[in-house]
């Protein structure tokens, strides 16, 4: 399915694109390089009259596994990092816990996660 949208001006077209978050986006304006800088939500963007989507599918190496259904607003094309295992690490000092602990306890209790609150409060001597 191909959708062609016509907007009253450049600003409105870019706003629409960023809301719609297309899987594939072909920009064929006189200022396509400048226009591309304002696109935040698209799976794959093909610039100018000599870069058809088919080149991305078969030849130039852009990924073909793209976010669909407007999910480009929060997701990216499949990439190498999707196959890498990552881990978060955190270390807070005693002074850091004193600065944030009470607020964390309030949030945890508001969510009724009592043991989360207690895990902070007991370390603070509360």
């Amino acid at each position: 399915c191909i959708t062609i949208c016509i907007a009253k001006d450049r600003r409105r077209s870019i706003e629409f694109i960023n809301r719609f978050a297309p899987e594939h986006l072909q920009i064929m304006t006189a200022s396509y390089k400048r226009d591309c800088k304002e696109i935040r939500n698209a799976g794959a963007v093909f610039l100018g009259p000599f870069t058809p989507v088919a080149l991305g599918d078969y030849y130039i190496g852009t990924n073909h596994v793209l976010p669909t259904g407007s999910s480009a607003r929060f997701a990216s094309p499949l990439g190498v990092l999707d196959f890498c295992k990552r881990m978060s690490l955190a270390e807070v000092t005693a002074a850091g816990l004193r600065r944030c602990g009470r607020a964390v306890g309030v949030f945890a209790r508001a969510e009724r996660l009592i043991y989360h609150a207690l895990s902070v409060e007991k370390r603070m001597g509360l």
Side-chain angles (χ1 to χ4, degrees):
C1 176
I2 295 174
T3 303
I4 297 174
C5 299
I6 299 171
K8 289 185 178 188
D9 58 44
R10 180 179 172 276
R11 179 187 55 80
R12 288 182 186 171
S13 66
I14 290 171
E15 286 173 359
F16 173 78
I17 290 165
N18 284 324
R19 277 194 318 274
F20 186 70
E23 179 179 353
H24 298 86
L25 174 64
Q26 175 81 58
I27 303 178
M28 293 175 51
T29 62
S31 57
Y32 62 84
K33 288 182 183 180
R34 179 180 61 144
D35 296 341
C36 178
K37 291 177 182 177
E38 296 187 46
I39 303 301
R40 301 287 172 256
N41 300 324
V45 181
F46 299 88
L47 300 175
F50 305 111
T51 317
V53 171
L55 287 183
D57 290 348
Y58 301 112
Y59 195 78
I60 60 176
T62 55
N63 199 303
H64 190 63
V65 182
L66 300 171
T68 60
S70 295
S71 62
R73 289 182 302 227
F74 57 84
S76 303
L78 186 68
V80 172
L81 292 179
D82 294 304
F83 297 96
C84 295
K85 182 187 175 301
R86 296 175 291 146
M87 182 172 67
S88 295
L89 297 175
E91 180 181 21
V92 176
T93 64
L97 181 61
R98 283 192 299 275
R99 279 193 295 273
C100 68
R102 289 189 189 275
V104 172
V106 169
F107 283 120
R109 288 182 183 281
E111 293 185 325
R112 297 197 166 138
L113 299 173
I114 301 305
Y115 292 104
H116 278 40
L118 289 172
S119 74
V120 172
E121 294 162 359
K122 293 297 180 186
R123 284 174 170 86
M124 294 177 59
L126 298 176

